[in-house]
Every structure is written in C-alpha cells, then in structure tokens.
Amino acid sequence: GASHDSHERCDPPQCYSETGAAVVNFILLWVQDRQRASSIMWLHGPLGAGKSTIAQRVAEECEYTRMLCSTFFFSRKTPRRDSSKYLIATITYQMIHSIPELERPVIDAIARDPALLSSTLQSQIHRLIVDPILVLMSKDEWPKYSPQLIIIDGLDECEDAEIQLLILEVISDMLITFPVPLCFLVASRIEKAIKREFNTDRMQKISSQLCLHGSFRSQKSLISSCRSKISEIRLTQPDPFSR
C-alpha cells in the first residue's frame, strides 16, 4: 500500500497546475541529469506545504517517462506504512518491475537466504539492491538507460528518529561506497534529527536540499485546489435548482 499508485492510496493528493509546478519541473530536471552532482534531494517543509503532492506528481511524471524505479509513501495513520520493516522489500519489488533484469539475481539472493527479508536494513539494501546491481554491471547486462529515481515520502512519519536516521545512513552508505546508478528524492518535515543528518559534511557531499515555504505556498495551494474542485463539481454534478 505504500507505492504511489496503490489502491490503498486510491485518492492521493493531486498537484494542480498552479501548485508546485516550478518545484516539480526543478526535480524532474535533476532526475533527468544522469551527471547530477547530488544523488539525494531532500524536499522539506512544514505540514501542508505540499510535499506529498509534489512527490506524487514527480512519481507520475517519472513513471510515464520511464525514469521511476520505485516509491514508498510512509504514513502514521496506516498500519505497516509507518514502519521500516517493509521499506527495502517494497522498493526492491518495484525495482524488479521497472528493471526486469534484476529479477533473477534478487530471487537467487532470497533463495540463498530465505530469512533475508527479516534481516537488518543494512543487510537487505546490500543483498537485495547493491549486489544484484553489481552482478549485472559486472556482466555488462545493466541497461544503459535504466530508471534511476527512488522516492521516499513522509520519512518523518516512520517509527522514530533513530530509525529515520538509520534509513538515511544505509542509503548514503550505499551511494558513497558503491557505483549504483540510483538517485533518491526524500520528502519530510524539518525534524531536528533529519535536518542534523542532512547538514553533516558526509551527507552534504552527496545531497541537495529544496525547501518549501509553508505559509504562502499552502494558502495558494488551498485556494487553487478549491477553485479546481468547484469547477469540477459544476461540470460533473447536476444543478439542483434546474428543472
């Protein structure tokens, strides 16, 4: 239920034409640039700033242009989507659909160790993502123009600060240590622990930040959304006063 097109998220937030268009385009340009200077982009802002709306729109655009590997939308309100337990397995499953060449090495890894899916995050990301990619690259079987984007939305809604930092650490360790052709869009509120991690020297070398200012953007988003919904209702619902 954590993917951008899941039935569990059957009514995901929509990005209207006047809301966040410039931010979406900026992120898309970053994704398209395979020589990008940063491998992680942190999209942050206060509650209601439009982070999930933008992440959803980026996911849809990148899926259409075949630049999307996988998505995971955390949510405190939904069981299982507030836990890191399913994160790597869900990402890997979607990556196999985006890059079919990964299927065999991933299946082989699980066959060798059926308990892998209940192992640590570090072990899962190494053996389900890094190793299969490196195997294909060593055999020159990695697709040249493979999708690269992985979106993690609502990181601040995952369990507690310690787990949130662990997720960032295993991702950054992978990107620093191994030549994996992936990039991550991470969206969250500006929690102290997350902000502190992104401001470390180590993380700043591989990441960039994009801030959404809440007040003006949220008001504009709300007004635009209301106008669009009113127009939609006028077009689709009969006039109760007409005879």
Side-chain angles (χ1 to χ4, degrees):
S3 63
H4 70 285
D5 58 352
S6 168
H7 176 70
E8 192 170 297
R9 302 182 69 250
C10 60
D11 189 22
Q14 296 299 311
C15 185
Y16 297 94
S17 59
E18 297 180 22
T19 307
V23 177
V24 170
N25 289 336
F26 183 85
I27 295 172
L28 292 177
L29 289 173
W30 171 74
V31 176
Q32 293 166 5
D33 182 8
R34 291 178 180 259
Q35 303 300 318
R36 66 186 75 85
S38 60
S39 299
I40 304 175
M41 179 176 288
W42 180 31
L43 176 68
H44 58 83
L47 177 66
K51 301 179 295 296
S52 294
T53 299
I54 289 170
Q56 177 72 27
R57 183 57 181 269
V58 169
E60 293 169 353
E61 292 285 342
C62 287
E63 181 179 42
Y64 180 75
T65 56
R66 298 185 178 180
M67 296 187 295
L68 182 68
C69 273
S70 54
T71 58
F72 196 102
F73 284 72
F74 282 108
S75 174
R76 287 195 185 92
K77 301 176 182 178
T78 308
R80 299 180 301 166
R81 282 176 53 201
D82 62 349
S83 170
S84 63
K85 181 179 179 180
Y86 308 98
L87 175 64
I88 304 302
T90 302
I91 287 175
T92 302
Y93 174 77
Q94 294 177 53
M95 286 184 70
I96 289 173
H97 282 266
S98 301
I99 309 170
E101 290 85 349
L102 283 169
E103 181 175 4
R104 176 46 53 193
V106 168
I107 290 176
D108 290 345
I110 297 173
R112 287 192 298 268
D113 182 6
L116 178 56
L117 296 178
S118 58
S119 64
T120 64
L121 282 177
Q122 293 93 327
S123 182
Q124 288 187 51
I125 201 168
H126 188 89
R127 296 165 65 185
L128 291 175
I129 296 179
V130 175
D131 283 352
I133 290 176
L134 295 182
V135 166
L136 292 174
M137 292 177 72
S138 68
K139 296 179 179 180
D140 200 25
E141 295 177 0
W142 183 255
K144 184 176 180 181
Y145 297 106
S146 62
Q148 295 189 345
L149 179 64
I150 296 174
I151 297 176
I152 299 177
D153 178 71
L155 178 62
D156 56 291
E157 298 197 33
C158 173
E159 299 180 67
D160 54 43
E162 185 177 343
I163 299 299
Q164 295 163 17
L165 294 182
L166 178 60
I167 291 171
L168 292 176
E169 287 172 5
V170 297
I171 290 173
S172 58
D173 284 345
M174 174 184 68
L175 295 171
I176 291 171
T177 308
F178 302 100
V180 290
L182 299 173
C183 62
F184 287 77
L185 173 64
V186 178
S188 77
R189 299 184 206 176
I190 313 174
E191 301 293 343
K192 290 182 179 179
I194 296 175
K195 181 178 180 180
R196 186 167 57 248
E197 177 64 20
F198 271 103
N199 286 337
T200 61
D201 292 340
R202 176 172 166 277
M203 183 64 91
Q204 285 187 341
K205 292 179 180 178
I206 61 168
S207 67
S208 56
Q209 300 185 20
L210 189 55
C211 177
L212 295 177
H213 296 288
S215 57
F216 172 77
R217 188 175 299 277
S218 297
Q219 291 173 17
K220 184 177 180 180
S221 174
L222 179 60
I223 292 170
S224 177
S225 297
C226 288
R227 285 174 175 168
S228 297
K229 283 296 183 182
I230 290 170
S231 298
E232 180 182 330
I233 291 170
R234 284 174 176 168
L235 291 173
T236 59
Q237 300 298 323
D239 184 352
F241 299 104
S242 63
R243 292 177 181 267

